[in-house]
Amino acid sequence: MTLNAIRPAHFPWFGYEGYSFSLGLTHGADAWLSGHSASEHDPESGRMVVRGGMTDQARTAYRKIEAILEAAGLTFADVTKITENVTVHGLDHYPEAEAVRQEIFGEHRPAVTTVIVERLLRPAAFIEIEVHAGPGGPRAVTGDGVAETADGAVFLPTVLPVDERGEVVSEGDLIGQYAYCLDKADRLLRGAGLSLDAAVTTYDYTTPATRDVYRRTHRARKERLGGAGVYPGAGGILMSRLHRPGVLVALDVTASRHPLEAVNPGWSRYDTLTYTPGVKAGGMLWMSGFAALDMETQEALHPGDVVAQAEVTYDAIGQVLAAAGAGPEHLISTIEFVCPDGLADYRGVAEVRKRLLREPWPASTGALCAGLLRPEFLLEVFPAAVLP
């Protein structure tokens, strides 16, 4: 099924042609949108600007999203999943954005994930919002905020190590919190008639202070994941602050009702890991996060050079796509996390994308993180694709 760029006839915030990403893509009747903030072109200064506090910014972002959805023949009532990327600086004002979302969606209940990021690419931006939509919205929604799409993808809300009383569990213990989040995700999926065996991706967000013990999450994952013979794709990002004090990990999980098939270009390193380069499920290819790693030697490549790292990263993504019988033109989404030390040269990554990817450019989001699990890495990319 062909991917098509969504091109609104009227989009007053900025000229969207010429970038290495699309405002959004349609795949059949569904739409995947890039992350959108309140950025807009200021004709007086000739620059992109962000105006207002959290409430104003959330309203502007959702107005953009509404215009893009309308161009795809959809409305807010068709949204199945919302991802709100909220900056550390804006986190204390996040309830304002939640109020805007409630005002817009009312009784409609898509799955909501909240990613805390160090900063967005526009320094004044507090929030950037991504959505997935399909005619009629979620096919099913549980009372716990789990939403299922018409094509069998199942989105969970962000899973936090917080119990039913609202208290943080296993304070100071990353491994205990990680295991709790996996068990909580399993309970949520069982409420939808599935289990963690159906997970296609598990993306986790931890803090720099826990980097040295992160490897010990391997056991919790091995005990709980891969029961159907296929480990999910995975990615790990470090943020200096998470959703509330005491929280050391936040987990975003996507699952599928379709049978899972592992995709590996032949990299033996994954033989002992609790995640897989890619997972086929129905018409989708869900992938792990990728950075500039030599798959044979385990060496981090091109330290200090974010553009060279992007070359290696997108080449690895291309190899997974090829192993699944797809190509760069089948990428539907890329989420790029860049470290502060890579920001100065980050614009150069767009040229790498233009050389290695294809039109219609994938829906994309970019944000700053506090760091990555390997300190040499400056960039990690979470991709997803449709299968030809």
Side-chain angles (χ1 to χ4, degrees):
M1 193 176 293
T2 304
L3 295 176
N4 294 292
I6 304 172
R7 296 187 172 93
H10 181 63
F11 195 77
W13 296 277
F14 59 87
Y16 55 82
E17 300 291 349
Y19 291 98
S20 59
F21 63 88
S22 65
L23 295 180
L25 293 176
T26 56
H27 175 231
D30 286 6
W32 294 66
L33 272 61
S34 290
H36 293 281
S37 69
S39 62
E40 58 183 321
H41 184 260
D42 177 32
E44 290 189 11
S45 66
R47 300 172 63 88
M48 295 291 285
V49 299
V50 175
R51 299 185 174 95
M54 179 65 85
T55 296
D56 290 337
Q57 289 191 25
R59 289 190 190 284
T60 299
Y62 275 116
R63 282 197 294 270
K64 289 182 179 180
I65 289 166
E66 184 176 33
I68 298 164
L69 289 173
E70 183 179 355
L74 299 167
T75 71
F76 285 133
D78 299 307
V79 172
T80 57
K81 180 188 179 184
I82 302 168
T83 300
E84 294 178 337
N85 299 283
V86 181
T87 67
V88 166
H89 186 60
L91 183 56
D92 290 342
H93 302 284
Y94 184 43
E96 298 176 31
E98 293 177 302
V100 172
R101 184 191 342 120
Q102 175 62 36
E103 177 186 317
I104 289 170
F105 288 95
E107 296 303 311
H108 181 55
R109 290 288 184 267
V112 178
T113 61
T114 305
V115 179
I116 309 304
V117 300
E118 290 301 300
R119 209 197 81 186
L120 293 166
L121 299 180
R122 305 293 174 189
F126 292 143
I127 189 167
E128 184 164 289
I129 304 168
E130 311 160 42
V131 304
H132 173 277
R139 184 172 70 182
V141 182
T142 71
D144 294 312
V146 178
E148 181 178 345
T149 70
D151 61 359
V154 180
F155 298 123
L156 270 62
T158 296
V159 181
L160 300 176
V162 177
D163 64 20
E164 57 277 3
R165 299 186 304 273
E167 297 179 359
V168 175
V169 304
S170 301
E171 289 228 32
D173 177 8
L174 172 66
I175 313 309
Q177 290 193 7
Y178 202 104
Y180 182 91
C181 286
L182 288 173
D183 290 340
K184 187 174 180 179
D186 187 62
R187 291 194 298 272
L188 291 172
L189 286 168
R190 289 185 186 279
L194 296 170
S195 73
L196 270 181
D197 291 347
V200 291
T201 56
T202 58
Y203 296 145
D204 59 61
Y205 304 89
T206 55
T207 66
T210 63
R211 181 190 266 148
D212 291 344
V213 299
Y214 180 85
R215 288 177 180 271
R216 291 167 51 199
T217 63
H218 172 89
R219 181 173 179 178
R221 292 177 60 86
K222 190 168 186 178
E223 290 172 347
R224 292 164 174 81
L225 296 168
V230 178
Y231 282 113
I237 306 296
L238 306 179
M239 300 296 180
S240 64
R241 181 182 174 189
L242 293 176
H243 300 65
R244 54 182 286 185
V247 168
L248 301 178
V249 60
L251 189 66
D252 286 335
V253 176
T254 300
S256 177
R257 289 206 181 272
H258 296 282
L260 310 186
E261 178 184 343
V263 177
N264 186 336
W267 298 324
S268 60
R269 70 181 298 265
Y270 287 91
D271 293 346
T272 59
L273 297 176
T274 56
Y275 55 98
T276 303
V279 178
K280 284 186 182 181
M284 289 292 299
L285 175 64
W286 307 93
M287 287 183 264
S288 283
F290 290 94
L293 182 72
D294 185 306
M295 295 296 180
E296 299 302 323
T297 68
Q298 315 301 306
E299 178 186 1
L301 301 175
H302 309 296
D305 188 339
V306 70
V307 176
Q309 288 194 8
E311 293 264 5
V312 176
T313 299
Y314 277 104
D315 178 71
I317 291 168
Q319 290 183 58
V320 179
L321 288 167
E329 68 276 15
H330 298 111
L331 276 175
I332 198 165
S333 173
T334 60
I335 302 171
E336 294 180 347
F337 291 99
V338 61
C339 296
D341 287 349
L343 184 60
D345 298 319
Y346 180 61
R347 287 181 180 272
V349 174
E351 295 306 314
V352 174
R353 290 169 58 92
K354 286 181 177 179
R355 281 189 285 105
L356 298 184
L357 305 185
R358 298 287 183 273
E359 295 188 62
W361 309 112
S364 298
T365 300
L368 269 73
C369 57
L372 296 170
L373 293 172
R374 290 279 294 268
E376 307 97 322
F377 292 152
L378 297 175
L379 178 76
E380 184 164 339
V381 181
F382 294 174
V386 298
L387 295 170

